[in-house]
Amino acid sequence: MEPINIIEGEVSFLDRSDVDTDQIIPKQFLKRVERTGFGEFLFYDWIRDGEIVLHPHPILVSGHNFGSGSSREHAVWALHQFGFKAVIAPSYSDIFYSNCTKNGFLPVVLESDECQAIAAAGECRIDLENQVVTGEAKAPSRSTVRSNAACWADLTTSP
Amino acid sequence: MTKPKTMFEKIWEAHEVREELIYIDLHLVHEVTSPQAFEGLRMTGRKLRRPDKTVATADHNVPTDGTPTANLIKDQLSRKQVETLEENAAEFGVPVYSLGSDTQGIVHVIGPELGLTQPGNTIVCGDSHTSTHGAFGALAFGIGTSEVEHVMATQTLVQRRPKTMRINYTGKLSPSVTSKDLILATIGRLGTGGMTGYVVEYAGEAIRELTMEQRLTVCNMTIEGGGRAGMIAPDEVTYEYMRGKPGVPEDFDAAVEQWKQLPTDEGATFDYEIDIDASAVSPMVTWGTTPGMVIEVTDRVPDPADLPTAGERESAERALQYMGLEAGTPMEDVKPERVFIGSCTNSRISDLREAAGAIKGRKVADTIRAMVVPGSALVKAQAEEEGLDQLFEEAGFEWRGAGCSMCLGMNPDTLFEGERCASTSNRNFEGRQGKGGRTHLVSPTMATAAAIEGHFVDIRNWS
Ligand code: SF4
């Protein structure tokens, strides 16, 4: 596992609440007995049906209760293998949150309006050690946001 | 005098090896979330620490058409997953109830019925509905595959101490209103994230009056409200249910004396408490794509425009579109094409007795394909001994073999695109029962009534 210090770059925005793990990685892809090969199936139905477009930027921003539902760690593997290094949302399901921390995939908690501002900024920098997220405004119309994040990476507990 | 404690605190403190590291009494394993964990053990040359506290079963992938053994499963990937479970179990010395075993079944059905689920225990499984087992006064919750591997290797788990919530149900449930309706109404009220971060104790008169299997239904759906675990204090109902089951302690009466110490002490405090009037709960039906999108069967499909925030309006609009429903439609006018009675929420013998008892010689509507899937091979055998299979089949229900079946469609039982289903399962997420499938969560008797009438009905006025 890669140690995490700074994660920065463009953000992808999935402006929905209650994004459940059945959507993140649909059940037909849970039959693999390996930990790899899930990235290409991320949000399979939503992407294939043209419901959403998602770029593999380093950071994903989404809504409340992200990762609800099934305990499948495959959801974290899929997000990570797709290219995301961190996710920012106002809240997560407990099991999903803990699965993130076992895989060096950083779940960041920010208020809803801060998530929106980061998404509007289009880019951001997460400083794990100092627990600060900064959204840099690139285009003049984009806003700048700086916020204290609650993020917790438990990188020491693999058995 | 010692400080009064909640049931959660007593169990947590009895299992804390050191701060935020807890000992696990029972580890349940199924084929979907375990292969990578076994592989992890192999790669690091570790043994499984307590095979005697680990039990495996095949449930998610198994066909329900009577396929007798794993090597005959037609779907190649499913076959591989079930065979891998059997091989891993053999290699690491774990008892496994796979296809063909007379104790095979859904992991959350077999734990209680084999007497493995016991009060005061810590129980984990790589499955979010592990919350089910809390109905016995256990601390039971779902974990991810990395944690499965950690428990396999060490029989312990790193856990942040959760907060505690108590839901006090006042009053009694009305006739024909079930524990499924109670928990759906609770999630409707608190929201799908309303219990996040909490271990929830369900208490009050309405809970005390539930049978053990009805209590399992309540705890099962805790995770749909985001709860870490659900719990119900053990009492005579619990002990009577357990007595004589194969896995229970030899000196059962001595164990009962111990278990009697578990319930929350008078005066113990919770981080959050709420009262809910159980007598006001009606038969419930979900209309959307989360279990929190739920209304009384006599209500109309809500209008997104009436919702308070833009986010909620948008979610509701998307849900209605997915579900193919118009705002304002009376729920009783909604017509499913499929009915599924099964899943770890409602596939135990009492669920099947209730569903079969509601048939009363009538037939499934000819617009509907209905199936009944017992939760375990033991439930199936018991139901057949009682002749329930005949009641179902005479009415036009399909009678299947044990497994998760159409709860999640990782096996051949799935909805077709656009099909609408009255389901006794626990999740109505998009595509859960098959891509494009539309799920309405209901109780077993509501599902039976919908199968017979061809649309949802208020079972309180249905004879
Ligand atoms: S019946 Fe459904 S919810 Fe229960 S364990 Fe199986 S797939 Fe999960």
Side-chain angles (χ1 to χ4, degrees):
Chain A
M1 225 185 293
E2 294 273 309
I4 300 175
N5 186 9
I6 305 284
I7 295 173
E8 61 187 333
E10 286 191 70
V11 303
S12 297
F13 188 31
L14 182 57
D15 189 11
R16 293 184 174 192
S17 301
D18 295 311
V19 172
D20 61 75
T21 54
D22 276 71
Q23 308 314 320
I24 298 174
I25 184 82
K27 66 214 164 261
Q28 63 268 36
F29 307 112
L30 304 186
K31 295 186 183 181
R32 297 179 62 82
V33 293
E34 299 84 21
R35 273 173 180 263
T36 51
F38 295 99
E40 59 187 298
F41 304 121
L42 182 74
F43 291 113
Y44 185 79
D45 290 339
W46 282 358
I47 289 177
R48 196 181 53 166
D49 294 349
E51 246 199 272
I52 62 167
V53 177
L54 212 57
H55 297 288
H57 296 317
I59 296 153
L60 175 68
V61 177
S62 192
H64 277 285
N65 201 25
F66 189 82
S68 57
S70 152
S71 65
R72 58 188 74 165
E73 196 162 317
H74 314 62
V76 176
W77 301 334
L79 287 161
H80 211 184
Q81 288 161 17
F82 182 78
F84 294 123
K85 297 193 166 92
V87 53
I88 304 179
S91 61
Y92 301 90
S93 92
D94 293 330
I95 306 178
F96 177 84
Y97 188 89
S98 133
N99 284 342
C100 289
T101 65
K102 305 288 188 252
N103 287 276
F105 181 74
L106 189 66
V108 181
V109 180
L110 287 182
E111 294 296 330
S112 217
D113 51 348
E114 293 168 333
C115 291
Q116 294 281 340
I118 299 265
E123 271 187 34
C124 86
R125 175 184 161 94
I126 304 167
D127 180 342
L128 176 62
E129 197 179 338
N130 295 305
Q131 300 270 299
V132 170
V133 179
T134 321
E136 290 298 344
K138 268 241 164 142
S141 62
R142 288 174 166 174
S143 56
T144 299
V145 58
R146 186 184 156 85
S147 174
N148 289 324
C151 42
W152 174 64
D154 172 8
L155 305 176
T156 55
T157 53
S158 56
Chain B
M1 233 195 74
T2 52
K3 185 174 166 288
K5 286 184 180 161
T6 65
M7 177 163 58
F8 162 77
E9 287 168 325
K10 294 180 195 181
I11 299 175
W12 180 272
E13 284 162 20
H15 288 80
E16 223 172 9
V17 179
R18 62 172 166 78
E19 208 187 333
E20 303 197 333
L21 181 73
I22 60 168
Y23 183 76
I24 301 302
D25 294 311
L26 176 64
H27 186 192
L28 299 165
V29 172
H30 68 66
E31 79 276 16
V32 181
T33 53
S34 66
Q36 296 86 353
F38 279 115
E39 183 61 20
L41 292 187
R42 252 192 305 270
M43 273 162 36
T44 47
R46 289 168 189 253
K47 286 200 184 68
L48 194 146
R49 189 174 167 92
R50 293 298 297 265
D52 57 325
K53 291 185 177 286
T54 313
V55 171
T57 185
D59 52 8
H60 286 61
N61 275 276
V62 301
T64 59
D65 59 1
T67 302
T69 50
N71 62 342
L72 296 174
I73 298 176
K74 288 193 199 77
D75 181 290
Q76 197 190 328
L77 291 170
S78 290
R79 184 172 68 236
K80 172 140 193 240
Q81 215 167 44
V82 177
E83 287 183 333
T84 302
L85 178 75
E86 292 179 358
E87 286 157 20
N88 283 332
E91 181 182 339
F92 290 93
V94 174
V96 59
Y97 307 124
S98 191
L99 214 57
S101 155
D102 53 12
T103 45
Q104 175 264 337
I106 305 174
V107 64
H108 311 307
V109 174
I110 69 165
E113 80 185 358
L114 296 176
L116 301 170
T117 302
Q118 296 175 11
N121 276 3
T122 48
I123 302 173
V124 295
C125 173
D127 195 283
S128 60
H129 291 99
T130 310
S131 61
T132 311
H133 306 263
F136 284 79
L139 176 61
F141 51 89
I143 56 178
T145 297
S146 296
E147 293 176 316
V148 167
E149 184 181 339
H150 193 289
V151 175
M152 284 176 172
T154 66
Q155 203 61 27
T156 64
L157 188 66
V158 179
Q159 271 295 295
R160 299 199 131 187
R161 187 174 173 135
K163 292 179 287 185
T164 55
M165 177 188 302
R166 180 160 64 186
I167 303 180
N168 302 298
Y169 292 100
T170 57
K172 297 177 190 234
L173 288 175
S174 318
S176 310
V177 177
T178 67
S179 65
K180 179 68 164 285
D181 302 304
L182 184 69
I183 188 65
L184 281 171
T186 303
I187 295 164
R189 164 125 173 228
L190 299 179
T192 44
M195 305 177 187
T196 302
Y198 290 95
V199 166
V200 181
E201 181 172 340
Y202 301 97
E205 190 184 357
I207 295 291
R208 298 264 67 88
E209 291 199 341
L210 296 177
T211 65
M212 201 57 228
E213 296 191 348
Q214 292 166 338
R215 293 178 186 182
L216 287 163
T217 303
V218 173
C219 287
N220 173 272
M221 289 196 69
T222 305
I223 186 69
E224 309 310 330
R228 193 82 190 93
M231 305 176 104
I232 292 174
D235 59 11
E236 289 308 319
V237 173
T238 320
Y239 312 138
E240 277 321 300
Y241 186 86
M242 295 182 71
R243 199 179 287 280
K245 296 244 181 323
V248 301
E250 240 165 67
D251 191 346
F252 190 74
D253 292 325
V256 168
E257 285 315 306
Q258 289 244 307
W259 295 336
K260 285 184 175 166
Q261 309 304 313
L262 286 168
T264 295
D265 299 330
E266 191 69 36
T269 53
F270 290 80
D271 294 305
Y272 185 75
E273 279 202 79
I274 181 172
D275 292 341
I276 292 182
D277 181 3
S279 67
V281 174
S282 299
M284 306 297 285
V285 185
T286 61
W287 56 270
T289 51
T290 73
M293 293 174 165
V294 65
I295 52 176
E296 298 180 4
V297 62
T298 47
D299 281 344
R300 289 167 186 271
V301 173
D303 188 345
D306 296 339
L307 294 171
T309 68
E312 285 170 84
R313 285 193 288 276
E314 227 171 276
S315 300
E317 269 160 26
R318 221 178 23 246
L320 286 185
Q321 197 186 8
Y322 180 86
M323 293 296 289
L325 289 174
E326 293 269 340
T329 310
M331 205 32 137
E332 292 184 80
D333 289 354
V334 175
K335 299 183 175 66
E337 290 108 36
R338 301 284 294 269
V339 169
F340 169 62
I341 297 177
S343 91
C344 57
T345 317
N346 283 124
S347 65
R348 297 182 179 80
I349 188 68
S350 58
D351 298 312
L352 303 192
R353 283 180 192 139
E354 276 171 33
I359 297 174
K360 302 206 180 95
R362 289 168 285 197
K363 301 266 184 249
V364 170
D366 50 17
T367 49
I368 288 201
R369 182 178 161 201
M371 59 200 266
V372 185
V373 185
S376 70
L378 283 175
V379 171
K380 184 175 201 279
Q382 176 71 28
E384 289 174 356
E385 201 182 303
E386 296 176 19
L388 302 184
D389 57 325
Q390 279 177 13
L391 289 179
F392 283 122
E393 288 192 323
E394 278 162 18
F397 287 86
E398 293 170 37
W399 177 250
R400 317 280 301 186
C404 294
S405 181
M406 213 164 66
C407 175
L408 95 166
M410 267 189 89
N411 51 75
D413 304 340
T414 53
L415 295 180
F416 296 116
E417 184 103 30
E419 268 189 323
R420 184 179 301 289
C421 180
S423 175
T424 66
S425 57
N426 43 45
R427 279 189 183 140
N428 50 346
F429 297 158
E430 287 182 28
R432 171 81 179 176
Q433 295 192 283
K435 185 173 164 11
R438 295 163 170 162
T439 304
H440 295 273
L441 303 176
V442 289
S443 72
T445 39
M446 285 284 287
T448 306
I452 290 168
E453 297 298 335
H455 57 88
F456 290 110
V457 292
D458 181 355
I459 40 165
R460 290 169 300 189
N461 313 319
W462 188 71
S463 52

